Amino acid sequence: MTGEPRRRRRAANDIKESLRVLSIQLSLLNHQVGAHLDLKDVDFYCLDLINRLGPLSPTALSRQTGLHPATMTGILDRLQKGGWVTRERDPEATDRRAVTVRALKDRNAELFQLYAGMNTAMDDLCAGYTDEQLDLLAGFLRNATEAGRTATDDLANG
């Protein structure tokens, strides 16, 4: 019985360490993708958020990232100049200056091409698991993502 809690603690520590290493590796991959597209890391992360959550207002994007609105303006200027996003007037806003930021999908093929190697590797990896195991892993990753979001929010809010 004494070995069981120790083994569980060791397994949990192995998982946390593997997630940290995975996070670093994915950051390095994203950096390389961004470099191929001539995007700064922060620009690339904002573009990804706009693609996933958009269209968004610049204010909403600032809140999502924790970046100052003036910093966000510079990022959006670079993304718009590069043909990645467009700013559009929000017809439903009471403030006529209000805009939303929308990703331009015609550039997505470039992104997909750069991630093709990783996507193929992940498909091959997933092929070795049963549907039930994949469901378990997907649930774990969703929960780990939410734990990370909570920890980030806690740090950001002091």
Side-chain angles (χ1 to χ4, degrees), residues 98-129:
V99 298
T100 57
V101 180
R102 183 177 53 81
L104 297 173
K105 303 297 184 187
D106 56 334
R107 302 272 326 251
N108 281 349
E110 293 173 72
L111 287 171
F112 295 142
Q113 178 62 34
L114 292 168
Y115 282 110
M118 181 61 170
N119 286 333
T120 298
M122 292 304 300
D123 289 342
D124 293 345
L125 180 64
C126 288
Y129 291 91

Side-chain angles (χ1 to χ4, degrees), residues 79-94:
L79 289 174
Q80 187 169 13
K81 182 179 177 187
W84 293 100
V85 301
T86 185
R87 292 175 172 127
E88 301 169 341
R89 295 276 174 226
D90 185 348
E92 296 180 19
T94 55

Side-chain angles (χ1 to χ4, degrees), residues 5 12 17 26-27 39 41 43 45 51 54 56-57 72 77 81 91 107 112 119 125-126 129-130 140 144 149:
E17 177 64 19
L26 291 175
S27 290
L39 291 172
D41 289 352
D43 298 357
Y45 292 128
N51 269 316
L56 296 168
S57 71
M72 187 56 61
D77 286 347
K81 182 179 177 187
R107 302 272 326 251
F112 295 142
N119 286 333
L125 180 64
C126 288
Y129 291 91
T130 66
F140 173 81
R149 185 176 293 116

Side-chain angles (χ1 to χ4, degrees), residues 129-143:
Y129 291 91
T130 66
D131 291 347
E132 293 79 19
Q133 290 170 324
L134 289 174
D135 288 342
L136 177 69
L137 290 168
F140 173 81
L141 290 171
R142 277 191 302 274
N143 291 337

